[in-house]
Structure formats: C-alpha cells, structure tokens
Amino acid sequence: MTHTHEGPRTWQRWLNRWWVVGPLVFIVLVGVRLLLDQDRGMLPALVNGAIYGTVAGALVAWRQRKDGRALGLGPDRVHDLDRRIRKEDVPEDPEERRSMAVLVRLREEQLRSAGRWAFPVMGVCLALVAGLLLALGAVVPAVIVLAVGAAFVPVALWNRRRLFDRFARLTQRLDADPKPGPDEGEDRGEDVGAVTGPPADTRTGLGSAHRPV
C-alpha cells in the first residue's frame, strides 16, 4: 500500500532544492560569522556567506542533474525518489522500484565515499579555525568552535549509521517481490479451483468424477 507522507515533515522536501539550500547556507554562515567575529563588520560576513551559499546551491543542483542522468530521470523525479527513500516508502510499480533500487545503491556508495574524506577534512577545518581564532586572541570563540565540532562528530557518525541501516532495509524490501493485489489473489484462486476440479463428495470421499455410476 502506497502512503502519502504529508504533514509535519513536509519541510524536508525543500531541503533538496538548490534555491533553498543556497540562501539557507548564506543566512547560517552570516549569522555564525557575526557571532564569532563581530569586529570585522557586516561586509566580510556577507561576502563569505554569498560565496559559500552559491557553492552549496551549485553542488546540490549538480548532484541532482548527475543522478538524473545516471537514472535516466529528471531532477524533479530524482527529488521525489529521494523523498520516498527518506520515508522508506517503497513503490509498487516495477519501473519505480527499479529506479529506487538504483538510487539507493547510488546514495549508499556516495555516503561510503564521503565518509573517507569528510571527517578528516572537517577535523582539519575545525583545527584551522580554532587556531586562527586563538592567534587573534579570541579565546571564547575558539572554545565554542571546538565544542561545537566535538558535539557534531558523534551526531554525524550516528546519522551515518542510521542512513546505512535505512538503505539496508530498503534494499531488502526492494529485492522482495511486491505483494499481490486482491484481483491477483482472486485470479489465482479461480485457477487453482479449475485445476483441482470439483469438490469431493462428502458421503463417499471421492470427487464427482470418481462417483460410482
């Protein structure tokens, strides 16, 4: 049975849109920059936020186009399949099941590949930012950066494990045959009745074809 997942988590559908990710990254980075480095003013924060926001939005758009080419689907269709993967909503249509299976394997490989470099790069960036802040005499912001990084790492590892578990469950369900519908069950019942013949005679224990003449 296919479910429509609307409601409290509808906002998650927008997080894969490049024109949402870009402004969101811009707002977050400008806010963080102003919080940690108020002396340098607004202009550097705006410039950095615009650069990183543009890069983030471009990466999301590039990834969706690349995945769409690999699957032979449009970016909107890839976005819809990603949403169904997050909800673990397995379609019944065979063609959609095949597309989702390919996308699940692609996302699993991307997650495994990112894990090889994302955490080392993140650790180096945190160390550089904290060291720069300490060199500038901003001890409190440096401590905040290190504390946030230390709290983020276990959360990221837990989320990575959760995603792998989700992909494993989806792969198992997609590899299984879809459940037959009620019409298919009725058709099979009629076929079985036609093969096995009429019911047995309750008095003799034999089928009608074997009743004595």
Side-chain angles (χ1 to χ4, degrees):
M1 181 177 180
T2 304
H3 301 279
T4 56
H5 297 277
E6 303 293 340
R9 294 188 176 180
T10 303
W11 59 271
Q12 293 182 351
R13 300 177 60 181
W14 302 100
L15 291 183
N16 277 345
R17 306 290 188 179
W18 67 266
W19 43 268
V20 173
V21 173
L24 183 61
V25 171
F26 170 79
I27 293 172
V28 171
L29 288 182
V30 169
V32 172
R33 180 66 180 270
L34 292 176
L35 178 64
L36 298 179
D37 191 8
Q38 300 177 1
D39 297 335
R40 300 187 63 180
M42 176 71 73
L43 183 59
L46 292 175
V47 171
N48 286 337
I51 293 174
Y52 288 109
T54 302
V55 171
L59 286 175
V60 171
W62 171 78
R63 190 194 72 170
Q64 288 183 345
R65 285 195 298 267
K66 179 182 177 182
D67 295 343
R69 287 194 297 268
L71 297 174
L73 303 173
D76 290 338
R77 193 71 189 93
V78 174
H79 168 73
D80 183 63
L81 286 175
D82 273 326
R83 180 180 62 84
R84 300 187 75 165
I85 287 174
R86 289 196 302 270
K87 306 296 184 181
E88 299 187 34
D89 181 15
V90 176
E92 296 180 357
D93 181 72
E95 187 65 30
E96 288 190 353
R97 291 173 71 95
R98 284 191 290 270
S99 298
M100 179 178 282
V102 175
L103 187 58
V104 166
R105 289 193 294 270
L106 181 63
R107 292 286 180 259
E108 187 174 9
E109 179 58 32
Q110 289 173 344
L111 183 63
R112 185 174 290 108
S113 176
R116 301 188 185 104
W117 59 266
F119 289 103
V121 170
M122 184 177 61
V124 171
C125 290
L126 287 173
L128 289 175
V129 171
L132 179 61
L133 291 173
L134 288 174
L136 296 174
V139 178
V140 174
V143 172
I144 293 175
V145 169
L146 292 176
V148 171
F152 177 77
V153 169
V155 174
L157 290 173
W158 169 80
N159 187 64
R160 186 171 183 266
R161 181 69 265 169
R162 185 174 64 90
L163 289 175
F164 276 126
D165 292 341
R166 176 188 298 168
F167 293 150
R169 289 193 301 268
L170 283 170
T171 299
Q172 184 177 8
R173 293 175 60 189
L174 288 166
D175 289 342
D177 293 332
K179 295 181 179 179
D183 295 338
E184 296 176 0
E186 293 175 1
D187 294 341
R188 279 199 297 269
E190 293 174 359
D191 294 341
V192 171
V195 172
T196 56
D201 190 336
T202 56
R203 292 172 298 176
T204 63
L206 300 174
S208 58
H210 296 83
R211 292 175 186 172
V213 179

